[in-house]
Amino acid sequence: MNITATFAILALTLILAALDGAHACYLTVDTDEDVPAAPKQMSLSSPLAGGHWRVDSIDGVPLPEGVYPILKFGTDGKLGGHFGCNSITADYSGDPDRLDIGSVFLTRATCEAAKATVEADLYAILRGRLRITLPEDTDWVIELTSPEGRVIRLGRVVYR
């Protein structure tokens, strides 16, 4: 086998391994036995519940061009979303003034530098108990403040 063919096989093997690794973070269910009959419903008084929210800024700094993280706060107490490169899942609870986020699970795809920086900041802030404020006295903008004083500004996403 010549050197070109060897490198081609090596490159294809690395690509397939990377693709397999990107999907390894997800669990699939093969039988209906493992699926609960109905999703758990919770009553949440958090203003975030039931909405999709775009991260507009972190610590007062707008996000880099082309980075658009979206968080979805389900009415069932599940947080999901996309940080721009990786997906996030967590449990949450809260009331009008606070948000409690449980263990955060994040996929581990490699990101370009700008997205990786935003993801690291979001991952560091979205943990534990956060204070909720409505800075413009509206339901369209919310700020989450960590105990360390770091702030994520969210804007409600409306799909038409």
Side-chain angles (χ1 to χ4, degrees):
M1 188 179 313
N2 66 32
I3 192 132
T4 304
T6 303
F7 280 119
I9 291 171
L10 178 61
L12 181 58
T13 302
L14 291 173
I15 290 169
L16 291 174
L19 289 174
D20 184 50
H23 297 294
C25 297
Y26 297 97
L27 177 66
T28 58
V29 178
D30 294 329
T31 66
D32 289 333
E33 296 172 356
D34 298 325
V35 179
K40 178 178 154 189
Q41 293 296 316
M42 295 175 58
S43 174
L44 296 171
S45 59
S46 173
L48 295 162
H52 288 78
W53 297 85
R54 179 191 66 244
V55 177
D56 290 333
S57 66
I58 299 174
D59 297 328
V61 178
L63 300 187
E65 186 68 33
V67 181
Y68 307 104
I70 298 288
L71 301 174
K72 179 186 183 291
F73 292 86
T75 57
D76 60 353
K78 300 291 183 192
L79 167 61
H82 196 264
F83 277 178
C85 184
N86 284 289
S87 297
I88 177 180
T89 58
D91 291 326
Y92 82 96
S93 62
D95 59 38
D97 300 318
R98 69 169 172 76
L99 175 68
D100 293 317
I101 298 179
S103 296
V104 175
F105 298 96
L106 191 63
T107 57
R108 300 185 321 178
T110 304
C111 305
E112 60 187 62
K115 289 181 181 180
T117 300
V118 168
E119 289 192 359
D121 284 341
L122 290 173
Y123 185 73
I125 298 169
L126 288 173
R127 298 170 155 222
R129 179 164 285 179
L130 303 170
R131 187 177 75 242
I132 296 174
T133 55
L134 305 170
E136 297 174 7
D137 197 28
T138 176
D139 291 337
W140 297 95
V141 176
I142 287 181
E143 289 183 349
L144 303 176
T145 305
S146 74
E148 297 81 26
R150 301 206 58 200
V151 179
I152 299 172
R153 185 178 178 98
L154 303 173
R156 184 180 288 273
V157 177
V158 177
Y159 296 101
R160 297 179 186 220

